[in-house]
Amino acid sequence: VTHGVNHTLPKEGEPVSSFMTKKVESISPDVDIFFIAGIFMRTSYRRLPVVENGKLIGQISRVNVLKGIRQYLIEKYNINR
């Protein structure tokens, strides 16, 4: 099972557009971290671009979300690290 990955070797001079993801889902910087966790749970995405006013301002990864939720739980329930 290849899950849409292009396993052919690139030809010299072949543009990156031949290999890039064309339908990219992005999020705004004010999206709730639990909503982003839901996106990661229902997709195979590893990262999401963060876009504000049509400009890329960063990206968030699955690990970033896990760390953010962990920090939230530590603070909410006063858990000692």
Side-chain angles (χ1 to χ4, degrees):
V1 178
T2 62
H3 297 291
V5 176
N6 187 345
H7 289 288
T8 60
L9 294 174
K11 298 175 185 83
E12 189 173 336
E14 191 167 6
V16 72
S17 61
S18 299
F19 301 94
M20 69 183 190
T21 301
K22 293 175 179 64
K23 291 184 179 182
V24 178
E25 186 172 352
S26 64
I27 56 169
S28 65
D30 58 345
V31 173
D32 180 84
I33 198 160
F34 292 99
F35 182 81
I36 298 168
I39 293 172
F40 283 135
M41 289 172 59
R42 74 172 195 276
T43 67
S44 62
Y45 302 155
R46 291 186 207 127
R47 292 175 185 79
L48 283 169
V50 181
V51 176
E52 186 173 47
N53 299 322
K55 293 182 119 183
L56 178 66
I57 61 168
Q59 67 177 1
I60 190 160
S61 70
R62 288 176 176 258
V63 171
N64 297 141
V65 170
L66 286 172
K67 286 179 179 179
I69 292 173
R70 178 181 181 272
Q71 185 62 39
Y72 166 81
L73 293 172
I74 287 171
E75 291 172 11
K76 180 174 181 166
Y77 297 107
N78 198 25
I79 299 170
N80 292 325
R81 295 180 186 183

